[in-house]
Amino acid sequence: MILKNTQPILSPIIGHRGLAALKPENTLLSFQAAVDAGILWVEFDVMLTQDKVPIVFHDDNLLRVAGLDQRVKHSNWRNLSALDVGSWFDRDYHAARIPSLKQVLMFCEHVSLNINLEIKPHIGDEIITTEAVLQELDNTRFKQQILISSYSIEALRHMQNHAPEVPRGWLSDTGDKSLGQILVMLEQLESFSFHAEHSQVTPPLVARLKQEHYRVLAHTVNQLDAARNLWGIGVDAVFSDFPLFQQQ
C-alpha cells in the first residue's frame, strides 16, 4: 500500500522534465542535472507503451526526440528502450534512452529527489495508465515526497478513489473556465494543487485559490523576473527548464 498521508512541502522551483534546457528531457541525464543544480523536486510525464509498460516520456509521437514517426502507444518497450533520444538535443548525448517509470523512481529514491508525476494517458487509456502508475509506486515503495498531476479528470478521479492518500494536482487551461468552475472541480477532486500555464495565472485567481487553501503551480517559467512576479502574487512553485535560483 502507498502511504502518503502528509501534504508535500513544495520547493519554489520544480525541474521541468528534469532540467530540460540542460540535458535531454525526461531522461536520467536530465534528472541528474537537476540533482547537480541542487533542485529538490522534478516533474516528469508518464504514459504507456503498446505492451503496457509505464515509461517517462512526453510526446504521443516519437518524431521530435527520436526521429521516428511512430506513436508511443503503437511501440513496445523493448524497441522504445533502444531508441536514441539524446542526439536531437546534442550529438554528445546519443546514449540517452527513454527510461521506464521503475527506473526513474529508483533513481529519484536513490538521490532523494521529490517528484511531480504527471499521468499523461493516451485517449482511452486513462484508467490502465493510472493503475500502472499505482502498481509501480507500490512495487518500488517510493519514499520521497510525491505529487500526482494530470489534465485527465478520469485519471485523477481514479487516483482519488484508489489511493486517496496520495496528493493530487489538477492541470488545466483557465481560458475556457470560470473561477467558480475551477473551484468546483478542485473540490470534487479533493485536490492539493492547481497547475496552469504561467500566463494564465493572475493575482485574482491565485488569491481566491489560496483563500481556499489550494497550492498554485505555474509552468513553464524560464525567466527569473517572471518567476519572481509569480512568487510575489503567491504562486507556490514554478516549473522551469533552468536552475533559476542560481541566478538570484
Side-chain angles (χ1 to χ4, degrees), residues 32 38 41 49 73 79 87 90 94 102 111 121 169-170 189 193 210 212 226 232 237 245:
Q32 183 63 58
W41 280 80
T49 65
K73 70 178 299 181
N79 291 337
S87 290
D90 189 301
H94 61 87
K102 179 179 180 179
V111 298
W170 180 36
L189 293 170
S193 55
K210 300 287 282 189
E212 298 298 328
F245 73 92

Side-chain angles (χ1 to χ4, degrees), residues 38-150:
I39 297 292
L40 301 178
W41 280 80
V42 292
E43 177 270 352
F44 56 81
D45 314 277
V46 176
M47 58 178 59
L48 288 186
T49 65
Q50 185 180 47
D51 47 346
K52 310 308 180 191
V53 176
I55 63 169
V56 173
F57 197 76
H58 177 269
D59 296 1
D60 287 332
N61 194 288
L62 297 160
L63 186 61
R64 179 174 66 92
V65 299
L68 179 63
D69 189 7
Q70 183 171 308
R71 298 188 68 189
V72 171
K73 70 178 299 181
H74 298 149
S75 311
N76 64 45
W77 168 235
R78 181 177 180 180
N79 291 337
L80 287 170
S81 64
L83 293 176
D84 168 1
V85 292
S87 290
W88 72 276
F89 186 89
D90 189 301
R91 292 185 66 180
D92 288 344
Y93 301 129
H94 61 87
R97 297 292 182 263
I98 299 171
S100 67
L101 175 57
K102 179 179 180 179
Q103 289 171 327
V104 172
L105 291 177
M106 292 176 64
F107 175 85
C108 291
E109 184 77 46
H110 179 69
V111 298
S112 301
L113 265 178
N114 306 305
I115 65 171
N116 173 195
L117 187 162
E118 180 184 341
I119 299 175
K120 193 176 175 62
H122 308 297
I123 295 174
D125 285 352
E126 293 82 2
I127 301 302
I128 60 173
T129 304
T130 307
E131 278 294 325
V133 167
L134 285 169
Q135 186 63 57
E136 207 59 78
L137 289 171
D138 272 338
N139 290 343
T140 58
R141 299 183 180 276
F142 189 72
K143 298 180 182 66
Q144 295 300 120
Q145 294 185 82
I146 183 171
L147 173 61
I148 299 290
S149 63
S150 188

